[in-house]
Amino acid sequence: DGSHCKGGTLDITYTHNTFIDCVAGGLDVGGDTGPAFFCPLAATWEADSIHVIANLFFRGTTGIKLSSCHNSEILQNTCYKSTQFAFRSLNASSNAIYLKNNLIENNIFTTNGPYGIYLNASSGYDFSTETFRNNLFHDYAHPDPAALNWSELPGVVVTGSIIADPRFTDTAQRDLTLRAGSPAIHAGL
């Protein structure tokens, strides 16, 4: 991972960073520390109140992954050409800690791999406190689908999704400003 916060991390902000070719993923918010390393032992979260704002993620398996975290915000980030997952939401804690009250808003998620726009999540959990609002999705390797498959995230709250090419200015030079006519312009909150 480019960065990973877990084991009882609280109130961390990631802003205006660039993550390039992070094989496992750009940023893992939460995760599974295991009881031997978990601190503080009485915490009910692996990570809480983590704010991920206006970062760039180039390639890698996925830009951002949430795992067993609470009250976190993923806002105004751009994930360019993830190779496997547009986004991951995992309940992966041996301390029986699950995702709760997370907001994913005003982001651009693009993929360039074999699975299309794949939203990966742990099976058998309720995702009703996770909200995806006003995010744009695009797949460079295949034609964009007419709709996204949210089946791995039962109960997730989804509003304002756009599926379209974001029309970046010059990706070869890592210039991800939006060209005139981009469907992402004025589409967020």
Side-chain angles (χ1 to χ4, degrees):
D1 293 312
S3 187
H4 197 168
C5 53
K6 62 182 182 176
T9 54
L10 172 66
D11 197 20
I12 306 262
T13 299
Y14 290 88
T15 186
H16 296 90
N17 298 289
T18 301
F19 298 83
I20 302 170
D21 294 326
C22 299
V23 177
L27 178 58
D28 192 345
V29 179
D32 184 13
T33 311
F37 303 103
F38 190 72
C39 180
L41 290 175
T44 58
W45 32 263
E46 286 279 355
D48 189 299
S49 301
I50 309 301
H51 313 280
V52 182
I53 305 167
N55 298 281
L56 301 176
F57 299 87
F58 288 87
R59 296 172 300 272
T61 302
T62 189
I64 304 166
K65 176 174 68 172
L66 299 185
S67 302
S68 307
C69 65
H70 294 184
N71 307 310
S72 294
E73 298 176 315
I74 311 301
L75 310 172
Q76 302 166 355
N77 300 281
T78 299
C79 301
Y80 175 69
K81 287 191 172 181
S82 297
T83 60
Q84 283 193 320
F85 310 109
F87 194 85
R88 297 190 83 189
S89 296
L90 304 178
N91 288 298
S93 176
S94 61
N95 297 312
I97 297 168
Y98 308 112
L99 292 163
K100 184 178 175 184
N101 299 330
N102 298 302
L103 174 63
I104 301 92
E105 179 179 83
N106 294 349
N107 301 283
I108 296 175
F109 299 107
T110 72
T111 56
N112 189 42
Y115 308 114
I117 301 172
Y118 180 26
L119 299 156
N120 177 244
S122 300
S123 62
Y125 295 95
D126 175 14
F127 291 90
S128 60
T129 68
E130 192 156 276
T131 300
F132 283 77
R133 191 165 51 207
N134 290 40
N135 298 290
L136 184 143
F137 299 87
H138 175 61
D139 181 28
Y140 285 97
H142 310 91
D144 279 334
L148 296 178
N149 182 355
W150 296 92
S151 64
E152 289 195 21
L153 295 110
V156 67
V157 178
V158 180
T159 59
S161 295
I162 297 172
I163 306 168
D165 186 339
R167 298 188 54 166
F168 295 126
T169 299
D170 187 353
T171 56
Q173 297 299 315
R174 297 188 187 125
D175 179 357
L176 300 185
T177 57
L178 301 172
R179 288 187 281 145
S182 168
I185 295 174
H186 302 299
L189 296 175

